[in-house]
Amino acid sequence: MNIPVVEQILFANNTLAEDLRRKLDAAGVFGINVMASPGAGKTTVITGTVERLLNRLKIGYVDGDIATSIDAERIAALDVPVVQINTGGNCHLDANMLAPAVDKLPLDDIDLMIVENVGNLICPANFQLGTHINVLVASVPEGDDKPYKYPTMYRGVDVLILNKVDLLPYIPFDVERFKHGVRVLSPNLKTFEVSSLHGDGMDAWVDWLAEQVAGER
Ligand SMILES: Nc1nc2c(ncn2[C@@H]2O[C@H](COP(=O)(O)OP(=O)(O)OP(=O)(O)O)[C@@H](O)[C@H]2O)c(=O)[nH]1
Ligand SMILES: [Mg+2]
């Protein structure tokens, strides 16, 4: 019996992701893959990011969503090019889904492509998209134990945004316990603590991101 199916799928995905990376590099586009559990604040973080960078960078947005275009409409209202991917029930984006979406973006007129992955803390970590960095948005209401319970996601990302810190006075969340869990998995993970709703901490994240985009050019 032959059962290496998952490996084959991941290998095929990684090959496609490498193709996508080459396409982005050729067009001078820096890509980020934003992942998080449902409702952690991906779209709110992205909205705050786009608003702060509009005068500095040309941005494109790809929304991965199971069924709706609610998030895509929020970002399109900021007057940036938006492409919707409805996964039809799939719990993550993969490079095969992203490729046609990238082709619909005006790549030659974009510096930064922001991909919002499907809300899920498990599946998206296994599928590289060819983006330059993987961003994880964690949020206070999820609880401080999440790095311990979902290690694959925390281990595979380049930057962590702890969102909804405005709720710390109201929700039991031990920041040190959370950070210890993150450190064990990713000792030097770049981390930002923000309230994307109110704006606290967002400038530091956005300035760091703009530096990464500039560094790739
Ligand atoms: N208190 C507080 N609420 C926030 C913050 N950021 C987002 N929210 C709220 O959290 C809810 C979910 O935010 P979204 O940005 O839609 O989350 P998401 O991760 O994009 O959700 P999905 O795409 O459905 O997975 C909304 O009601 C936001 O207003 C924050 O910093 N503080
Ligand atoms: Mg969203």
Side-chain angles (χ1 to χ4, degrees):
M1 202 187 328
N2 187 8
I3 327 181
V5 176
V6 170
E7 270 186 27
Q8 283 175 9
I9 289 171
L10 292 180
F11 179 76
N13 183 73
N14 288 347
T15 305
L16 274 175
E18 284 163 18
D19 291 346
L20 268 176
R21 170 69 75 90
R22 275 190 288 275
K23 184 174 274 189
L24 294 176
D25 285 340
V29 176
F30 188 82
I32 73 171
N33 172 21
V34 181
M35 299 178 281
S37 56
K42 294 177 292 300
T43 312
T44 311
V45 166
I46 292 167
T47 302
T49 303
V50 172
E51 285 169 346
R52 283 168 178 77
L53 284 177
L54 267 182
N55 293 334
R56 287 191 258 174
L57 295 173
K58 287 175 277 179
I59 302 173
Y61 168 75
V62 178
D63 177 31
D65 201 289
I66 287 182
T68 77
S69 55
I70 293 172
D71 293 349
E73 283 160 24
R74 280 170 71 184
I75 304 298
L78 300 173
D79 213 17
V80 299
V82 165
V83 179
Q84 177 74 53
I85 303 172
N86 281 137
T87 66
N90 249 336
C91 57
H92 61 269
L93 291 178
D94 61 31
N96 190 41
M97 291 182 229
L98 185 60
V102 167
D103 284 341
K104 288 198 178 69
L105 282 175
L107 283 192
D108 290 339
D109 203 29
I110 285 178
D111 307 307
L112 170 65
M113 177 184 74
I114 302 177
V115 179
E116 177 171 346
N117 217 309
V118 179
N120 187 305
L121 213 47
I122 303 169
C123 311
N126 294 319
F127 292 86
Q128 292 301 314
L129 299 181
T131 49
H132 295 79
I133 56 172
N134 288 322
V135 182
L136 174 60
V137 179
S139 68
V140 168
E142 292 168 47
D144 52 29
D145 57 358
K146 291 305 167 286
Y148 303 89
K149 297 181 74 171
Y150 299 89
T152 312
M153 183 60 94
Y154 280 80
R155 204 181 279 120
V157 294
D158 304 297
V159 55
L160 171 66
I161 296 175
L162 176 59
N163 188 32
K164 309 194 187 183
V165 294
D166 56 292
L167 297 179
L168 281 172
Y170 313 107
I171 291 176
F173 185 99
D174 183 340
V175 176
E176 273 320 304
R177 183 179 183 222
F178 175 81
K179 285 184 174 171
H180 177 73
V182 174
R183 261 197 311 275
V184 168
L185 298 166
S186 304
N188 298 310
L189 187 58
K190 186 81 185 160
T191 303
F192 297 93
E193 295 179 28
V194 312
S195 167
S196 58
L197 191 62
H198 301 296
D200 312 55
M202 284 294 288
D203 287 341
W205 144 249
V206 165
D207 288 346
W208 179 84
L209 176 60
E211 276 172 30
Q212 309 312 303
V213 178
E216 278 295 319
R217 292 219 192 104

